[in-house]
Each structure stands twice: as structure tokens, then as C-alpha cells.
Amino acid sequence: MKEINQFERRHVMLKTSPNKVLYNGFFKIEEYTFEHALFTGGVSEPIRREILERGHAVAVLPFDPVTEQILLIEQIRIGALATKESPWLLECIAGMADGCEDLEAVARKEAQEEAGLELTNLHYMCSYLSSPGGTTERLYLYLAEVDLSDYQGGTFGLSEEGEDIKTHVMPFSEAMQRLESEEIDNAATVISLQWLALNKSKLSFKL
């Protein structure tokens, strides 16, 4: 396949190092000042951008290959209030990596905290930049092979982190209907469900 991208990291010139910290609270905002190579040749004028620095995250979609059921969690996401009647969203299990390089360990920890699940078999799906014009965050997505036949469900989450999470087990076909109706409309869950739809028949499951 023909290479499209003609530029590399070396074609971006950061003018300040380290970046200027504008805010450091629940999230951190840094100011980037940089120049970059132009498609027409030469270098751009200095550009300033405020970038959200929240670290990277891991999301996991539990899937029972025997019953063709998945597990999603429901919790409030206040940012959704601007465009939805209800800010309680159906999502994959997810959490921040907090600098941990063992992403599968992060997935297992979050599954225990948010759904009471012990994960063993994980399949890496993909990763993506959540919104690279405004944040450095990259999300890493995993499919978890689980037995949901006796799963009891309930409410989960860490109270000290303000979490109030309810689990939902449903047929994969129902999840896809909720995706098509745009009830499920957060990126990690949309991408995970679409990935599973494309790759389910190619996977070798151990259950």
C-alpha cells in the first residue's frame, strides 16, 4: 500500500519545553507552542494550542461466545447533558491507565471494580486517538471472553471516586440495535461493537 503521510515527528518543532501548564485540577491543560512543516514547503508561523492532558485509557467489552451476549455498564456522564435527554450512558468498562504500561492489568482491574468480573482471556482489538485536536489521550480497546450464563449483575463502582455503575447483560444483536438507533453513541463502545461485528467469525475462543 502506498505511503500517504509524508511528515514525521521531526517535522514538528516545539518552541517551549516543558509545555506551559495552564490548569492542573481534575484534568490538566497545557499550552503547546509549535511550528510545523507545510505541504507547500517551508515552515508555519508559531501556533499556540491548549491541550487536555488526561493520560491514556483502556476499555474492555465482555463477550460470551457461547450465548452471544455482551455486558455493558451504565453510568452518568455529565458531558453528555449538552446533547442528550439523559446523560446516563451505556458503555464498555473503562478506566485510566495512570501511567501503567500493563494495559491488560488495567482492563482486569476495571472489570472487577465496575462489574465484579474476573477476566482471563483478553483479545486486543485496536487503539485510537480520542480527539487529537484537543487532547493527547489514546484509548486501547480489548474484548474479554467471559461466561455470562450465571452472572448476577448489580451495582458497582468506587464510592470514593463518585462512581455509581449498573451492569446490563444483553444479546449482541440487541446491542447492535441500540447502536443503530444511536442510543449507544460514545466512541469506545461504538468502535468496540463494530469491531466485534466485523471480527467475531474470525476469532478463536477458548470457552
Side-chain angles (χ1 to χ4, degrees):
M1 191 183 308
K2 180 182 178 181
E3 182 69 30
I4 292 177
N5 195 333
Q6 70 189 72
F7 296 133
E8 300 173 350
R9 192 183 192 97
R10 61 188 174 87
H11 293 106
V12 178
M13 290 68 74
L14 295 175
K15 308 304 288 184
T16 56
S17 182
N19 298 316
K20 181 180 179 182
V21 177
L22 302 178
Y23 176 78
N24 196 359
F26 185 73
F27 294 125
K28 182 166 71 170
I29 298 175
E30 294 185 358
E31 181 182 79
Y32 281 60
T33 303
F34 63 98
E35 298 172 352
H36 66 85
L38 298 171
F39 292 117
T40 54
V43 176
S44 71
E45 294 296 320
I47 298 170
R48 288 185 175 84
R49 292 288 185 269
E50 292 80 30
I51 297 295
L52 177 65
E53 297 281 359
R54 57 170 295 172
H56 306 305
V58 178
V60 58
L61 177 65
F63 173 65
D64 187 328
V66 176
T67 63
E68 291 248 328
Q69 291 181 309
I70 64 159
L71 181 146
L72 295 175
I73 63 171
E74 180 184 4
Q75 63 181 321
I76 190 169
R77 295 297 198 187
I78 197 62
L81 195 60
T83 56
K84 289 181 71 95
E85 284 299 313
S86 173
W88 277 264
L89 304 185
L90 286 173
E91 303 178 328
C92 292
I93 294 165
M96 303 307 298
D98 292 327
C100 179
E101 295 185 0
D102 188 346
L103 300 178
E104 291 192 5
V106 176
R108 292 187 175 93
K109 178 178 75 70
E110 294 298 328
Q112 179 60 47
E113 292 178 358
E114 297 189 352
L117 283 176
E118 296 286 345
L119 302 185
T120 52
N121 301 326
L122 288 168
H123 302 267
Y124 174 74
M125 292 192 283
C126 64
S127 73
Y128 68 95
L129 293 165
S130 61
S131 185
T135 179
T136 57
E137 180 186 40
R138 179 176 286 274
L139 275 83
Y140 298 85
L141 307 182
Y142 287 87
L143 181 74
E145 184 180 343
V146 294
D147 179 0
L148 294 173
S149 58
D150 295 321
Y151 180 73
Q152 299 301 310
T155 55
F156 300 89
L158 301 178
S159 58
E160 61 269 26
E161 295 184 6
E163 294 180 333
D164 179 47
I165 296 170
K166 184 177 181 180
T167 58
H168 298 273
V169 174
M170 66 185 71
F172 176 66
S173 59
E174 178 184 332
M176 292 304 293
Q177 290 173 358
R178 294 180 185 275
L179 171 63
E180 291 171 10
S181 70
E182 297 188 6
E183 177 185 356
I184 295 175
D185 59 358
N186 57 89
T189 312
V190 170
I191 294 171
S192 294
L193 289 173
Q194 291 177 332
W195 187 96
L196 182 56
L198 288 171
N199 294 279
K200 183 157 57 75
S201 63
K202 306 173 190 176
L203 296 173
S204 297
F205 295 107
K206 297 179 180 179
L207 290 180

